[in-house]
Amino acid sequence: MAVVSKGSDQADFLFEFGHFIILWNHVELAARDILVWLAGGNITATILSQQTGNASLTDAMRVSSPWKPEAKEHLLHFSNLMDTIRPYRNYYVHNLLGVLPEVETGKMIGAILSLNVKGKYTLHEKALKSEDLIEMSGYADKTRIYGLAILEIFKDNEDLKTRIELFSLLEKPALPKTLAKTARDPQSS
């Protein structure tokens, strides 16, 4: 593995990669805090939320949302945001094999390679660009802010009327498009 120099194109790409992952970690933290609040805010709820995986976090928010009818719409949207961004995070984190210059432009790209053997032997390849990471960082950051706003509106405003008024001002971030992987059947080559 080559050494990456500060200020290099590789370092810039890796910065964007790390930035996306850090923002995603903050989305997870907001989700765990929301789940703790939904579960009563005690130490047991905190412990359980820390032992809950991402998919289970969003499932728990969906299942719990009817008990907070004034927040249900936003809890469901926050869960949908997480469920749409998580596949990008997982695909990028678990399948990035290196950073190298793109042939046409010389710009640094991430080499993504994954193999899916569920039902069929399928290879997925992607040239991950900094622009892809910047776009997903934007979605993750808006989702993080949205989750924190949901939590703060409830924690700071016990008056139901005030909470409903504040929720009406809360803008839902747009969902990113669903991750599409380019598949190639290596057996047909």
Side-chain angles (χ1 to χ4, degrees), residues 33-41 60-62 64-65 67-68 71 75:
D33 287 346
I34 289 170
L35 187 58
V36 168
W37 166 71
L38 287 169
M61 280 190 277
R62 280 190 186 91
S64 301
S65 66
W67 283 274
K68 301 290 183 184
L75 292 168

Side-chain angles (χ1 to χ4, degrees), residues 21-33:
I21 302 311
I22 289 168
L23 288 169
W24 173 256
N25 290 344
H26 282 271
V27 169
E28 285 183 1
L29 183 60
R32 290 181 197 293
D33 287 346

Side-chain angles (χ1 to χ4, degrees), residues 8 24 36 55 57 66 76 129-131 134 139 141 151 165 173:
S8 69
W24 173 256
V36 168
L57 275 173
L76 294 176
K129 298 179 179 180
S130 288
E131 294 81 10
I134 291 167
Y139 282 114
D141 196 37
L151 193 60
E165 287 171 8

Side-chain angles (χ1 to χ4, degrees), residues 96-113:
L96 179 68
L97 297 179
V99 180
L100 54 137
E102 188 175 39
V103 175
E104 296 86 32
T105 65
K107 289 178 71 176
M108 289 294 163
I109 58 168
I112 298 276
L113 181 66

Side-chain angles (χ1 to χ4, degrees), residues 2-187:
V3 174
V4 178
S5 303
K6 285 184 181 178
S8 69
D9 290 340
Q10 272 185 320
D12 293 344
F13 178 90
L14 293 171
F15 171 83
E16 296 301 342
F17 184 82
H19 187 234
F20 172 52
I21 302 311
I22 289 168
L23 288 169
W24 173 256
N25 290 344
H26 282 271
V27 169
E28 285 183 1
L29 183 60
R32 290 181 197 293
D33 287 346
I34 289 170
L35 187 58
V36 168
W37 166 71
L38 287 169
N42 59 36
I43 190 67
T44 302
T46 301
I47 292 166
L48 291 173
S49 79
Q50 292 302 312
Q51 297 299 316
T52 304
N54 290 327
S56 296
L57 275 173
T58 56
D59 288 344
M61 280 190 277
R62 280 190 186 91
V63 171
S64 301
S65 66
W67 283 274
K68 301 290 183 184
E70 68 278 14
K72 180 178 179 178
E73 172 185 353
H74 294 287
L75 292 168
L76 294 176
H77 188 68
F78 182 76
S79 296
N80 289 338
L81 285 162
M82 282 189 71
D83 285 344
T84 306
I85 297 168
R86 183 178 54 254
Y88 285 91
R89 181 261 181 213
N90 290 345
Y91 186 53
Y92 296 169
V93 166
H94 296 293
N95 299 294
L96 179 68
L97 297 179
V99 180
L100 54 137
E102 188 175 39
V103 175
E104 296 86 32
T105 65
K107 289 178 71 176
M108 289 294 163
I109 58 168
I112 298 276
L113 181 66
S114 72
L115 183 62
N116 184 345
V117 293
K118 293 179 183 168
K120 185 178 179 187
Y121 188 87
T122 308
L123 189 64
H124 299 277
E125 300 171 300
K126 178 174 177 57
L128 180 62
K129 298 179 179 180
S130 288
E131 294 81 10
D132 299 327
L133 293 166
I134 291 167
E135 178 183 18
M136 291 315 299
S137 290
Y139 282 114
D141 196 37
K142 287 176 185 168
T143 301
R144 173 190 66 86
I145 292 166
Y146 185 59
L148 292 174
I150 290 168
L151 193 60
E152 287 306 308
I153 286 170
F154 278 101
K155 286 180 92 171
D156 292 343
N157 297 288
E158 294 303 319
D159 174 52
L160 181 59
K161 184 177 182 221
T162 303
R163 288 191 301 207
I164 291 170
E165 287 171 8
L166 287 170
F167 263 120
S168 70
L169 301 174
L170 190 57
E171 187 176 319
K172 293 181 192 169
L175 290 167
K177 61 185 177 215
T178 303
L179 175 64
K181 299 177 190 176
T182 305
R184 183 170 62 87
D185 182 355
Q187 293 173 329

